[in-house]
Amino acid sequence: MDQEGNLLTKSTTGWQRPDDYEKVLERAAEYGLKTQMVVHITDGEGSLTNLLTNKPAMTKAVTAIVEEARTYQGVNLDFEGLGLQNKGEGLARVRDSFTNFVTLLSHQLKAANLPLTLTLHAPNSAYQGYDYQKLGQVADEIIIMAYDYGQKPEPADLVLQAVKSASALVPPEKLTLGISVPSETPESLITKVGIAKRYNLKGIALWRLGLVSDDMWASLRTCVVAHK
């Protein structure tokens, strides 16, 4: 998405919608898998901030997302980079602007019977522009991006801190632990899954499937139960 509220099929950061994406949706349906439309934008050069402070752009964005999402079984909003340089009242305004957008989108999606997932920076990250408590009241699910702390594998104590903070503000059954595969080992994956289990989270989210090695899959099979 761009700052004017237009949905894009190619982004400036290299992500794009594959030409044959419909075939993926068809195959997912054959296996009974639910799919979500991911909408991604970062606050590079203020793009996301500009979107969230422009009412016509927000209205356009919500309308476009809801219309396109009818092809899927939900929406995953991945709006990254908010709150890095903000403090005090400025940070409060940033948080309120994002919560306002999510609320507008959620109401429209509920009318279309489509759930809303938010992929958010962790509460203990450098990006503090996300009001977990209010967002947890609006969204159906929140994926905690508990990574990019600067060490590999991701420090278990920081991941634990992120999960504890989020769980204090959002019902655990709405929370999913995001795991960055390039930052992990087969052994550390088990630790991260254990944290999600300990706090009774909804599950885990792996970024991304194409990077999961055979050894990692083997580790996951020892500690993850798939729900049908």
Side-chain angles (χ1 to χ4, degrees):
M1 175 157 280
D2 65 17
Q3 65 182 12
E4 302 300 327
N6 299 302
L7 281 177
L8 310 174
T9 56
K10 293 184 179 180
S11 74
T12 57
T13 53
W15 300 105
Q16 64 184 41
R17 185 177 70 181
D19 292 335
D20 292 334
Y21 79 100
E22 293 100 337
K23 293 182 180 179
V24 178
L25 298 180
E26 291 172 3
R27 292 294 286 171
E30 290 177 13
Y31 283 95
L33 299 175
K34 293 182 179 180
T35 59
Q36 293 183 330
M37 180 181 77
V38 177
V39 185
H40 177 65
I41 182 173
T42 66
D43 203 29
E45 300 181 353
S47 298
L48 179 51
T49 297
N50 291 339
L51 170 65
L52 297 177
T53 53
N54 183 333
K55 288 187 178 180
M58 286 200 296
T59 300
K60 184 176 184 179
V62 168
T63 300
I65 290 171
V66 174
E67 182 62 30
E68 184 71 19
R70 298 180 191 279
T71 308
Y72 306 80
Q73 285 81 54
V75 170
N76 185 328
L77 207 63
D78 185 12
F79 281 19
E80 299 186 22
L82 290 176
L84 181 61
Q85 304 293 340
N86 307 97
K87 296 184 183 300
E89 292 183 3
L91 181 59
R93 285 193 295 271
V94 169
R95 287 185 167 194
D96 288 345
S97 68
F98 182 63
T99 300
N100 182 41
F101 179 84
V102 170
T103 302
L104 291 172
L105 178 60
S106 175
H107 288 163
Q108 294 294 322
L109 288 174
K110 278 183 170 57
N113 199 30
L114 293 169
L116 174 62
T117 296
L118 303 177
T119 298
L120 304 181
H121 294 288
N124 59 349
S125 76
Y127 301 98
Q128 292 294 303
Y130 306 88
D131 189 328
Y132 263 74
Q133 186 169 29
K134 290 181 180 178
L135 293 171
Q137 295 170 357
V138 179
D140 298 285
E141 178 184 7
I142 291 178
I143 297 175
I144 311 165
M145 293 192 290
Y147 44 80
D148 291 338
Y149 292 112
Q151 301 178 45
K152 295 183 181 181
E154 301 294 340
D157 59 335
L158 293 179
V159 174
L160 180 61
Q161 183 185 68
V163 170
K164 288 177 67 174
S165 297
S167 296
L169 300 170
V170 180
E173 61 271 17
K174 279 190 172 187
L175 294 173
T176 294
L177 178 59
I179 299 174
S180 176
V181 171
S183 299
E184 303 296 341
T185 65
E187 295 75 22
S188 67
L189 270 179
I190 296 176
T191 301
K192 305 309 185 299
V193 173
I195 292 173
K197 286 183 175 181
R198 190 186 318 171
Y199 283 85
N200 297 311
L201 303 191
K202 182 178 181 179
I204 62 169
L206 300 173
W207 180 259
R208 56 182 173 84
L209 292 182
L211 302 177
V212 183
S213 66
D214 290 343
D215 288 343
M216 287 180 169
W217 281 123
S219 290
L220 288 169
R221 290 188 184 97
T222 69
C223 58
V224 174
V225 177
H227 295 281
K228 296 182 178 180

